[in-house]
């Protein structure tokens, strides 16, 4: 449903996805980008990274959706 090309800095998503699935897939792919940027992907390996991202993405999305004040604080604290 999603694919990340870190060389080109592009995330591609399946536009046919429902809005909720699209948001979760985007966050999922963003977490893969963070894992590569921080070197976590090298530490974990591809299979373990996928397991971690699969667990984190839906929970993190739920936390962000349930806490708009938290989101506002995080994006404003620059």
């Amino acid at each position: 449903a999603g694919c990340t090309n870190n060389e080109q800095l592009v995330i591609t998503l399946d536009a046919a996805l429902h809005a909720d699935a699209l948001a979760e897939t985007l966050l999922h792919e963003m977490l893969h980008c963070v894992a590569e940027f921080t070197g976590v992907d090298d530490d974990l390996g591809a299979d373990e990274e996928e397991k971690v991202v699969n667990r984190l993405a839906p929970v993190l999305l739920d936390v962000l959706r349930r806490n708009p004040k938290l989101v506002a604080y995080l994006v404003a604290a620059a």
Side-chain angles (χ1 to χ4, degrees):
C3 181
T4 299
N5 182 323
N6 290 311
E7 304 264 330
Q8 295 180 350
L9 302 175
V10 173
I11 294 175
T12 305
L13 302 171
D14 181 353
L17 291 173
H18 182 273
D20 286 337
L22 195 61
E24 186 175 322
T25 302
L26 176 56
L27 184 56
H28 176 105
E29 294 303 325
M30 290 170 57
L31 288 171
H32 280 300
C33 294
V34 169
E36 179 166 336
F37 180 76
T38 60
V40 169
D41 62 333
D42 292 332
D43 295 339
L44 293 178
D47 290 341
E48 287 302 311
E49 177 191 343
E50 189 64 30
K51 287 179 187 177
V52 169
V53 168
N54 278 335
R55 290 179 181 173
L56 290 178
V59 176
L60 181 56
L61 183 58
D62 185 55
V63 167
L64 296 173
R65 285 180 169 165
R66 290 174 184 260
N67 297 280
K69 289 181 182 178
L70 171 65
V71 174
Y73 172 78
L74 290 172
V75 297

